[in-house]
Amino acid sequence: MRLNKITEALPFLAPVQILILSVIVIPSLYVVWLSLNASSFGQSATFVGLDNYIRVLTDPAFLLALGNTVLIVIFAVHLELALGLGMALLFASGLPFRRVLLVAVLAPYAVSEVIAVAMWRFLFDPDVGPVTAMLTWLGLPMLDWSFEPSHALIMIGLLTIWLHLPFTFIILYAARLAIPKDLYEAARIDGATAFDAFRRVTIPLLGPAIVVALLFRYIFAFRIFSEVWLMTQGGPARSTEVVAVYLYQEAFSFNAFGTAAATAWIMVLASLLLATGYVFLLRKQVAGNVH
Amino acid sequence: MASLRLAGLRKDFGSVNIIKGVDLEIEDGEFVVFVGPSGCGKSTLLRMIAGLEDISGGDLYIGGRLCNDIPPRERGIAMVFQSYALYPHMTVHENMGFGLSLNKTPKAELDARVREAARILKMEHLLDRKPSQLSGGQRQRVAIGRAIVRKPAVFLFDEPLSNLDAALRVDMRMELAKLHRDLGATMIYVTHDQVEAMTLADKIVVLDGGLVQQVGSPMELYKKPANKFVAGFIGAPKMNFLAVKVQAAHGGTATVASEAISPIPVRGKGFDSGDSAWLGIRPQYLKPGRAAEGEGGICGKIVLIERLGTETIVAIETRANERVVASIPVDMELAFDDNAEFLFNPSAAHLFS
Amino acid sequence: MCTDKLAIGLGKTVAVAVILVWSLFPITFILMSSFKPGQDIFAVPPKFVFSPTIQHYVELWNGWGVFFGGLLNSTIITAGATVLAITTSTAAGYVYSRYSSRMLNASVMFLIIVRLIPPIVVTLPLFPIINAIGLNDTHIVLMVLYATFFVSLGTVLMRTFIDQIPRELDEAAQIDGAGRLTILRRVIVPLAAPGILAVAVFVVVFAWNEFLFAFIFTATRAKTAPLVISEMIGSIDGVDWGVLFAASTVQLIPVLLFVIFMNRYLVAGLTAGATKG
Amino acid sequence: MSDKVFTNITRRGFLGTSLGGAAMLAAGPSFAVGKTLNVLSHKVHQTVLGSGSGDGDLLKDWRTGNDAEIVWTTFDSNPLQDRLFREASLNTTDFNVGYIVDNRPTKQIAAMFEPLDSYLEKDAIEDFGDIAPGLVQGMTVDGKLIGIPVRHATQGLFYNEALLEEQGISAPPTTLEELVEQAQKLTFTSKAGTPVAGMVLASDLAVFPVMFARAFGGDFINAKFELLPNPEAMEKGLTVLRKMFESGALPRSYATTKNDDQVTWLQQGRAAFTVLPFARNAQLNNKEQSKFPGKIKAIEFPISSDLKGKVPMSSIVEAWGMVIPANSKDKELSWKFIKEVSSKRVTLGMARNGNGPVRVSTYADQSFVNNPVAAVEAEVLKNARGAFPPFPEAARAQSIFLEEVQLAVLGRKEIKEAVASIATRVKPLLQA
């Protein structure tokens, strides 16, 4: 009868599994094969072993792209987390019109990367951008994103944060709302100040949510493509390239499918690594909470 | 209407045996109650009859038909769940008519049957409401109504009253009894509450550890419990069990004694002198007073007094540090730490190994 | 004490103001600028009072027919992807919620791991494959791609939502004579509607806005609106900001309204997805 | 733009759409046109055929005559080539005609396109001998003609006469040194209040740094596949660019400037000089788009004073050809299109719309001779050659070259170091 149940369940599961297998899993495995061969248009594949991986990993352009990606992941994601946490606490502290404010905060979630880039390019246009004008008027340095790679990365980082803050915020806010009010009342009776309550009650209880938000954002920030491609195309001088843009260039500009495939698998492995690291931490934390 | 026969019914979850072989005959039109502590397997057994759980071994016959592999809808059963399991997105009418609509019953007939059931349960005015707009008792009625509409041969109730408050529970109990009389259908009812079992059942099946401990009418079980488990489970307050030693045994009578009880002969087969045994006495059969010749006596210090109005529950602690509970008439002067003595007729005592 | 409260209130007001400006200023600015006469777009300081004009929309209509084709394509693709993702992940989520076995648990893990694979990875092998089966530059490719990259999250979400529906309802329906499919359709789907809507919000927003896949897998017939907008950004005649803003507004408004109306489900979905997925 | 048709129902398209919402499609626009010809090109190729200044749609008769609609998909130069090759590498493609630039067709690339010799034999192009033989040669790989030349773009120096006058400069530069000096002078805020940059150049095309190197007698990769035949000249060229950048004569946004930006900047008076194909003259002086119609002039890109009069300046010319992907359908229709576009009438019409004509006879046509830059262009063309020759890793080589050039110009790398780096990094690609 048990087997019978599995067969009964199969038709329900099959569509999802077929989609995932045929669109994601099998192509990904095919990428492994590709990554072990050298090939281009009109050229049959020749087996080269790990050569592609070595070429990618020793390519300064890749290392730069990796460095940029890591920078974005580290700075943008953590800043985003801090902002999201601050906002979550602000909202939880009681605001009038909270529902309306919540919707306002969610709005960037609806904006496509393409339009976000158009917006931000215009706002920060070195010549005509209103934000640039305002910064100059305030006597502040403008964001010289079309020239300074570091500024360009800052711009990309800001854009990413703008697009994804709603996500981080909601996760933290929901987790914050899930903390029972009694705990804060108990803490107050125990003589805790607001800061004590934050440090000793809020933070430990938000821990899992923070880890989850971070994990997701790490993984998603690591694959960043559209923002960079549309904003700078990796320029100037490939200095703002990220791993996904590097992959795109290898595959679709240079037609070097082997190295592109190797890059792809390096991306997959890095994502898995990030994920396992944090899943491990998460488990430890959950276990820690139990004790 | 149908009779049921369970023959060696077993249920395994992996290597764990939940039901270890149940043999049971249920007559057509009988009200059978499965009773037992939680985890005894009574709900599993009911769900096996319903077809919600697969049968690992043995045979299940409903109305003489082997039903092991027949899907629930074809078994001619209806079930009332503990949580009522009303479809929250449907009105009462739709809830009750759902099963009929699934087998394409004509609209007019469906409506007539739903209204008939609603009339029986006196809830015609609720038909257009959603379950969330109903009180607990009303939901319970809808759940029963849904069962009635199906005109099943067998009604299955899975602890249907446990989510109701005490007063409502008593009312619903009476209504269920009336429903059984009116419909005359076979009903199988699972509960952990022995009062429900005693009041409703034609036949009680006491289950423990996946095995049937005893089957019988309520009074049979009360008067002649087959073992210590059944004896302890049926009746409130619980039967007192006192550890005793068999001093002599012959011809269905054993003379037992302990530190707190002077030797007394009681009914009991299969005991030899020197055996350890349990002497069971229901609290109702303990009377205050000094034991005369041929009567058993227990004395101890009063540790608990509960005055319930019609009766008073008194607990004493014997010299052997055993607690003994007695249910006595209300007008007794008692005080904590007083010494008290109780007597009982040996014919009302049970001896268990 | 009173001044303290005042200070906190003031601080909160400022914080809220900053948050609002941060979230809404870029959006409002685009929407507003699309109605500004050409020269006002570049005015320094920016003009907030101006005589609105629809000239950019007229230009968009006359000059960028492809954009409206793109919108139509986006609509078709979004609808298709959403339907596909919802049906498949509801069915799978139902099974994951109601059955459990070692194999099923393992396959949930598999679903979660699949989410970690960056989409760009599969573009490489998929491009020739899709072409070989004759589907490149069709709506169906993007529908399937968009749906697939959300079915793993969708399934996990649906499982979470369906877990909240008591099993007794399935059983009651089973006794009422319903088969698996009927239970799913008549009992689970209506009750898991919030979950379905949450998945729908994710897929709709993603499919409507997606750039990378559309960029790689479409050429003419299935080109989506974001792609046309990206072409406008790099158009030969220089960026015509007015028209670009008009196009952006047209692309943005439907999805923005959608997110606003469905914010409840978006929040529910994000919360459930984050804690369970 | 003539994008009246963006969706037409074909079998595959229908398969794709029917599942998603055939109803929506049915409600959307549909056009009763017999055939569709999909063209993959740069926007300029589409513009010169009809929507630029000039005599309207040049292919109107062809459309009606063949009962076919033309659907254009346009990309910027490099992405266009990437896309064209990607499409051609598939089993089938929807694109019937593609535009290829002459420094891309290597052996492997050429193999993906239909050899056109037999088409030419069967259904000849009007007066094929009239098409410049050099351009035809550029589209011939391994003795097979794979593309029909359609446009040549000879790079010239454009300047805004009005801005020059405003800064008291009476004549355009005759040497590179003068150009730099004038560009610096022209970095100012104009009377109109527009901040003007001396010169605007795209940073994503090899053309510009190569022109500067050639002004000193150097090159990137010459026709004999010699990499950096004169490294010092390259260094000098890059030094000039860097100085201009440092002084602001090249705008701060140099690194993100695209080819298209050059046109807009010049039209709007935001830059005084730029390097663009002569053919862009019409567009730059277009009354509707330009703030300075008739004021934007073109001359030959000046050589350095050291070489002036000793050797001629070798400007860059690039040529475009029309190709038929070997995996496309309805090649007969493609050929009919190519034939029509190559006809004398259309060639002349395109030339008037700002296309570099491929026919010798066009230059003789009275209506084209009146073109203010025709004579200059003809002169420049004599010594012009491509930016670099085709080879398999050309795209990557160009990318490396540009990366190093940008680093050098932006001042992030010593010029010598950058040039040395070009040499070491590109070398292995040439051998491959």
Side-chain angles (χ1 to χ4, degrees):
Chain A
M1 281 304 270
R2 207 116 264 276
L3 190 73
N4 195 0
K5 279 197 167 176
I6 289 288
T7 50
E8 201 190 342
L10 216 55
F12 291 89
L13 283 180
V16 161
Q17 304 293 349
I18 288 173
L19 279 178
I20 287 178
L21 281 177
S22 59
V23 176
I24 303 180
V25 177
I26 295 172
S28 299
L29 294 177
Y30 179 70
V31 169
V32 176
W33 181 84
L34 263 183
S35 74
L36 300 174
N37 287 276
S39 69
S40 184
F41 292 139
Q43 188 191 325
S44 54
T46 48
F47 186 78
V48 294
L50 293 176
D51 195 37
N52 287 322
Y53 288 90
I54 295 165
R55 281 174 69 169
V56 169
L57 289 171
T58 53
D59 184 353
F62 172 77
L63 296 176
L64 184 68
L66 185 65
N68 286 336
T69 313
V70 170
L71 271 182
I72 290 174
V73 167
I74 290 178
F75 283 109
V77 172
H78 288 121
L79 188 59
E80 185 182 311
L81 184 82
L83 288 173
L85 187 60
M87 278 164 63
L89 297 179
L90 178 68
F91 271 68
S93 75
L95 290 177
F97 311 113
R98 200 161 53 180
R99 201 77 218 170
V100 178
L101 287 177
L102 189 71
V103 171
V105 170
L106 280 178
Y109 183 83
V111 179
S112 80
E113 288 139 345
V114 174
I115 287 174
V117 167
M119 279 175 192
W120 283 63
R121 269 180 77 146
F122 181 73
L123 292 177
F124 284 90
D125 189 288
D127 298 311
V128 296
V131 173
T132 309
M134 201 185 69
L135 289 174
T136 324
W137 183 70
L138 290 172
L140 294 170
M142 67 171 196
L143 203 53
D144 201 357
W145 57 273
S146 64
F147 166 66
E148 276 288 343
S150 55
H151 288 202
L153 285 177
I154 290 173
M155 175 94 162
I156 291 164
L158 279 177
L159 179 59
T160 320
I161 294 175
W162 188 78
L163 277 171
H164 299 284
L165 189 57
F167 172 83
T168 313
F169 162 72
I170 289 297
I171 290 181
L172 297 176
Y173 180 51
R176 170 61 188 81
L177 289 187
I179 300 177
K181 225 174 161 183
D182 329 3
L183 283 182
Y184 289 98
E185 287 165 356
R188 254 171 67 191
I189 286 168
D190 285 339
T193 63
F195 180 70
D196 288 335
F198 171 72
R199 207 168 53 90
R200 306 283 289 276
V201 178
T202 311
I203 288 295
L205 288 175
L206 282 185
I210 290 176
V211 172
V212 165
L214 270 182
L215 164 67
F216 272 82
R217 288 295 298 124
Y218 278 143
I219 290 165
F220 283 85
F222 193 77
R223 57 175 73 157
I224 183 169
F225 174 81
S226 310
E227 290 96 319
V228 180
W229 182 255
L230 293 162
M231 183 80 83
T232 65
Q233 292 212 358
R238 299 188 78 173
S239 58
T240 57
E241 248 177 42
V242 290
V243 177
V245 170
Y246 177 87
L247 165 55
Y248 179 87
Q249 293 269 32
E250 286 293 319
F252 298 114
S253 295
F254 306 147
N255 308 318
F257 304 136
T259 45
T263 313
W265 260 89
I266 293 170
M267 271 184 98
V268 172
L269 293 178
S271 296
L272 291 181
L273 209 69
L274 276 175
T276 42
Y278 274 85
V279 166
F280 180 74
L281 272 182
L282 181 69
R283 277 172 114 183
K284 235 171 112 179
Q285 196 150 17
V286 170
N289 282 349
V290 170
H291 293 306
Chain B
M1 307 299 119
S3 62
L4 279 87
R5 190 157 76 81
L6 282 60
L9 225 48
R10 282 194 301 104
K11 175 72 188 173
D12 308 324
F13 283 115
S15 59
V16 185
N17 306 340
I18 304 294
I19 302 291
K20 295 169 183 164
V22 168
D23 295 292
L24 191 65
E25 296 275 355
I26 296 170
E27 304 287 319
D28 184 15
E30 225 174 0
F31 198 122
V32 176
V33 176
F34 293 173
V35 71
S38 58
C40 70
K42 57 189 187 300
S43 280
T44 308
L45 190 60
L46 187 78
R47 291 165 58 83
M48 285 160 79
I49 295 169
L52 296 174
E53 298 283 354
D54 301 330
I55 294 167
S56 309
D59 292 328
L60 167 72
Y61 296 91
I62 300 176
R65 188 164 62 133
L66 180 65
C67 281
N68 283 24
D69 292 324
I70 288 176
R73 59 171 170 266
E74 290 164 31
R75 293 188 184 194
I77 49 125
M79 183 157 167
V80 176
F81 292 83
Q82 179 176 5
S83 64
Y84 318 137
L86 299 180
Y87 311 118
H89 56 299
M90 298 182 195
T91 62
V92 168
H93 191 288
E94 287 165 338
N95 259 290
M96 290 168 66
F98 186 61
L100 295 181
S101 79
L102 285 180
N103 63 22
K104 308 249 164 15
T105 306
K107 262 221 166 74
E109 192 194 333
L110 183 149
D111 189 59
R113 277 167 71 176
V114 168
R115 282 182 193 286
E116 168 66 10
R119 193 188 54 72
I120 295 174
L121 295 166
K122 299 189 198 67
M123 48 175 225
E124 288 112 314
H125 60 295
L126 301 177
L127 285 177
D128 292 326
R129 298 218 189 144
K130 288 271 178 73
S132 58
Q133 298 164 307
L134 302 177
S135 70
Q138 288 170 329
R139 288 181 205 184
Q140 180 62 67
R141 275 165 204 273
V142 177
I144 294 168
R146 186 169 63 181
I148 293 173
V149 166
R150 289 175 53 75
K151 293 192 177 159
V154 182
F155 281 88
L156 305 175
F157 295 92
D158 189 2
E159 308 210 20
L161 305 184
S162 59
N163 284 353
L164 298 178
D165 60 55
L168 210 50
R169 210 179 299 170
V170 174
D171 291 348
M172 281 310 292
R173 219 156 63 197
M174 290 194 298
E175 288 205 35
L176 278 176
K178 182 172 179 295
L179 193 71
H180 179 235
R181 278 199 309 277
D182 292 349
L183 299 176
T186 311
M187 291 186 175
I188 303 177
Y189 187 106
V190 163
T191 182
H192 61 269
D193 179 354
Q194 54 97 21
V195 178
E196 278 175 29
M198 296 292 283
T199 50
L200 285 169
D202 295 327
K203 186 196 268 175
I204 295 179
V205 179
V206 182
L207 284 154
D208 188 44
L211 285 170
V212 174
Q213 302 295 325
Q214 189 173 4
V215 179
S217 71
M219 285 327 282
E220 256 173 61
L221 262 57
Y222 188 76
K223 294 245 163 88
K224 290 179 197 157
N227 54 35
K228 185 179 170 227
F229 175 81
V230 176
F233 196 81
I234 302 289
K238 227 175 137 210
M239 185 183 272
N240 295 302
F241 292 109
L242 300 161
V244 291
K245 280 264 190 291
V246 178
Q247 292 182 332
H250 56 86
T253 306
T255 304
V256 297
S258 78
E259 215 181 321
I261 302 169
S262 34
I264 182 159
V266 291
R267 268 182 296 117
K269 278 183 193 154
F271 292 96
D272 282 324
S273 68
D275 285 355
S276 290
W278 295 99
L279 184 66
I281 310 155
R282 293 200 184 277
Q284 290 81 359
Y285 296 127
L286 281 173
K287 295 188 180 75
R290 177 152 302 193
E293 184 58 33
E295 287 176 331
I298 307 167
C299 58
K301 223 179 238 174
I302 296 177
V303 290
L304 177 84
I305 306 165
E306 285 181 341
R307 296 180 203 277
L308 301 179
T310 55
E311 56 179 351
T312 300
I313 308 292
V314 181
I316 58 167
E317 208 164 86
T318 65
R319 262 171 293 164
N321 283 332
E322 285 175 315
R323 211 170 248 226
V324 176
V325 176
S327 172
I328 56 170
V330 70
D331 49 351
M332 279 273 305
E333 292 275 332
L334 294 163
F336 278 113
D337 286 341
D338 280 2
N339 280 318
E341 263 192 88
F342 290 98
L343 61 87
F344 62 90
N345 189 332
S347 66
H350 305 266
L351 194 63
F352 304 106
S353 55
Chain C
M1 195 64 193
C2 194
T3 48
D4 262 19
K5 263 191 182 156
L6 209 66
I8 290 175
L10 198 69
K12 271 192 190 179
T13 314
V14 171
V16 167
V18 169
I19 290 171
L20 283 182
V21 168
W22 162 265
S23 298
L24 296 183
F25 177 70
I27 298 174
T28 359
F29 198 83
I30 296 298
L31 303 192
M32 235 164 52
S33 295
S34 72
F35 291 104
K36 282 182 186 174
Q39 63 276 13
D40 283 2
I41 291 178
F42 300 101
V44 179
K47 281 193 182 173
F48 291 96
V49 183
F50 53 89
S51 47
T53 162
I54 56 160
Q55 74 180 67
H56 302 305
Y57 291 91
V58 174
E59 279 169 47
L60 181 68
W61 180 260
N62 292 333
W64 285 90
V66 244
F67 174 71
F68 295 94
L71 274 183
L72 181 68
N73 288 334
S74 283
T75 311
I76 294 170
I77 290 165
T78 303
T82 309
V83 169
L84 186 60
I86 284 176
T87 46
T88 54
S89 44
T90 305
Y94 173 56
V95 169
Y96 281 120
S97 169
R98 291 311 193 229
Y99 295 124
S100 74
S101 76
R102 195 170 296 236
M103 233 176 68
L104 282 183
N105 293 344
S107 76
V108 172
M109 216 39 225
F110 166 75
L111 283 180
I112 292 170
I113 289 172
V114 159
R115 275 193 79 195
L116 306 181
I117 295 179
I120 195 170
V121 169
V122 302
T123 58
L124 206 56
L126 277 186
F127 190 76
I129 294 171
I130 283 170
N131 204 260
I133 53 176
L135 287 177
N136 82 315
D137 199 14
T138 57
H139 298 133
I140 198 166
V141 170
L142 290 184
M143 285 177 199
V144 169
L145 278 172
Y146 293 164
T148 307
F149 275 88
F150 265 93
V151 287
S152 55
L153 173 67
T155 304
V156 174
L157 268 185
M158 287 316 298
R159 185 184 67 163
T160 313
F161 278 95
I162 294 173
D163 275 344
Q164 293 162 11
I165 302 172
R167 266 162 192 263
E168 281 85 5
L169 289 187
D170 297 34
E171 291 170 351
Q174 221 181 326
I175 286 172
D176 273 337
R180 285 279 158 217
L181 203 62
T182 313
I183 295 175
L184 184 61
R185 220 163 41 86
R186 302 273 302 264
V187 179
I188 299 297
V189 166
L191 294 176
I196 291 176
L197 290 177
V199 176
V201 178
F202 284 131
V203 184
V204 166
V205 172
F206 176 73
W208 184 257
N209 287 336
E210 205 275 345
F211 174 74
L212 175 66
F213 285 142
F215 180 50
I216 290 175
F217 292 107
T218 67
T220 52
R221 289 169 304 170
K223 194 148 76 180
T224 61
L227 210 60
V228 181
I229 293 177
S230 81
E231 279 172 27
M232 282 180 177
I233 297 178
S235 141
I236 180 118
D237 305 320
V239 186
D240 188 340
W241 289 103
V243 176
L244 175 64
F245 290 158
S248 301
T249 304
V250 174
Q251 195 269 353
L252 177 58
I253 289 293
V255 67
L256 193 61
L257 290 177
F258 183 72
V259 164
I260 288 172
F261 284 123
M262 307 281 269
N263 72 78
R264 209 169 284 274
Y265 304 105
L266 175 62
V267 172
L270 280 174
T271 316
T275 48
K276 304 286 155 65
Chain D
M1 297 256 334
S2 60
D3 337 275
K4 282 195 299 186
V5 180
F6 46 81
T7 323
N8 66 309
I9 301 173
T10 63
R11 188 184 57 79
R12 285 199 288 144
F14 187 72
L15 183 66
T17 48
S18 57
L19 287 154
M24 276 180 216
L25 190 72
S30 60
F31 297 90
V33 170
K35 285 172 281 188
T36 307
L37 184 85
N38 285 297
V39 183
L40 187 60
S41 78
H42 193 284
K43 186 87 184 270
V44 76
H45 300 124
Q46 182 192 359
T47 313
V48 295
L49 275 167
S51 63
S53 59
D55 23 329
D57 187 357
L58 291 168
L59 294 178
K60 198 158 64 191
D61 296 341
W62 185 86
R63 279 180 227 266
T64 40
N66 288 286
D67 187 23
E69 198 51 61
I70 304 170
V71 178
W72 296 84
T73 302
T74 61
F75 291 98
D76 209 356
S77 304
N78 285 328
L80 165 64
Q81 300 300 298
D82 299 344
R83 186 56 183 248
L84 176 62
F85 302 152
R86 193 141 58 88
E87 287 288 339
S89 72
L90 302 171
N91 284 356
T92 62
T93 178
D94 286 322
F95 290 105
N96 306 82
V97 175
Y99 280 65
I100 194 171
V101 72
D102 62 348
N103 60 18
R104 298 305 279 274
T106 61
K107 230 182 206 172
Q108 284 93 344
I109 296 290
M112 299 194 294
F113 298 100
E114 196 76 1
L116 300 175
D117 306 83
S118 57
Y119 289 84
L120 203 53
E121 246 164 65
K122 261 196 309 205
D123 187 9
I125 285 173
E126 176 191 1
D127 194 8
F128 188 68
D130 184 30
I131 296 176
L135 298 179
V136 175
Q137 197 52 46
M139 288 289 148
T140 309
V141 180
D142 284 345
K144 276 185 238 159
L145 180 68
I146 60 142
I148 303 298
V150 65
R151 169 189 178 87
H152 81 85
T154 314
Q155 303 287 339
L157 180 72
F158 281 87
Y159 62 94
N160 185 327
E161 203 176 48
L163 291 175
L164 260 67
E165 277 169 17
E166 199 180 319
Q167 282 302 78
I169 300 166
S170 55
T174 56
T175 63
L176 188 66
E177 287 75 8
E178 276 177 48
L179 169 61
V180 173
E181 197 189 310
Q182 293 191 2
Q184 260 144 17
K185 225 183 232 173
L186 284 161
T187 305
F188 71 116
T189 304
S190 73
K191 283 187 300 207
T194 320
V196 181
M199 189 166 207
V200 60
L201 292 175
S203 63
D204 63 342
L205 290 173
V207 171
F208 309 108
V210 171
M211 290 276 273
F212 277 78
R214 285 191 186 167
F216 292 101
D219 211 339
F220 170 39
I221 302 170
N222 66 18
K224 284 179 267 172
F225 290 99
E226 287 168 335
L227 175 62
L228 296 173
N230 182 350
E232 291 76 32
M234 180 59 79
E235 284 167 17
K236 282 183 197 159
L238 296 187
T239 311
V240 169
L241 280 169
R242 178 172 179 163
K243 279 197 184 130
M244 284 172 69
F245 180 76
E246 280 167 355
S247 67
L250 275 177
R252 286 286 272 178
S253 57
Y254 164 72
T256 50
T257 307
K258 299 270 170 297
N259 210 196
D260 308 335
D261 298 332
Q262 294 177 251
V263 177
T264 2
W265 281 55
L266 224 65
Q267 286 175 338
Q268 295 175 357
R270 288 171 67 186
F273 289 103
T274 194
V275 176
L276 278 173
F278 284 104
R280 291 287 178 109
N281 188 58
Q283 191 190 1
L284 290 170
N285 288 296
N286 180 327
K287 281 195 189 66
E288 282 158 32
Q289 295 174 356
S290 180
K291 285 189 190 163
F292 299 89
K295 290 289 183 190
I296 296 171
K297 302 273 167 68
I299 52 168
E300 178 172 29
F301 188 84
I303 199 162
S304 66
S305 55
D306 290 350
L307 297 178
K308 195 183 176 196
K310 294 174 195 156
V311 286
M313 172 67 197
S314 171
S315 293
I316 288 174
V317 61
E318 83 187 354
W320 290 85
M322 293 175 284
V323 291
I324 305 177
N327 56 353
S328 68
K329 287 158 290 184
D330 204 357
K331 292 174 189 159
E332 288 307 317
L333 188 66
S334 311
W335 180 251
K336 278 186 194 157
F337 171 83
I338 292 177
K339 226 183 82 176
E340 181 74 5
V341 175
S342 304
S343 69
K344 280 190 172 168
R345 175 186 73 82
V346 178
T347 306
L348 179 64
M350 288 196 297
R352 286 202 194 116
N353 288 343
N355 195 41
V358 294
R359 285 179 177 274
V360 180
S361 64
T362 309
Y363 284 93
D365 191 283
Q366 204 51 45
S367 62
F368 184 64
V369 170
N370 289 341
N371 180 330
V373 293
V376 194
E377 182 177 14
E379 201 55 40
V380 173
L381 192 53
K382 280 181 193 158
N383 298 305
R385 54 197 159 80
F388 51 87
F391 61 101
E393 289 273 36
R396 195 190 285 275
Q398 178 176 233
S399 156
I400 291 173
F401 175 60
L402 287 170
E403 183 187 336
E404 296 291 345
V405 167
Q406 287 183 28
L407 289 173
V409 174
L410 298 181
R412 298 228 166 76
K413 206 166 186 180
E414 282 313 308
I415 286 172
K416 259 194 176 350
E417 218 180 298
V419 173
S421 183
I422 293 169
T424 47
R425 289 177 66 191
V426 174
K427 199 158 192 206
L429 302 178
L430 275 170
Q431 287 156 347

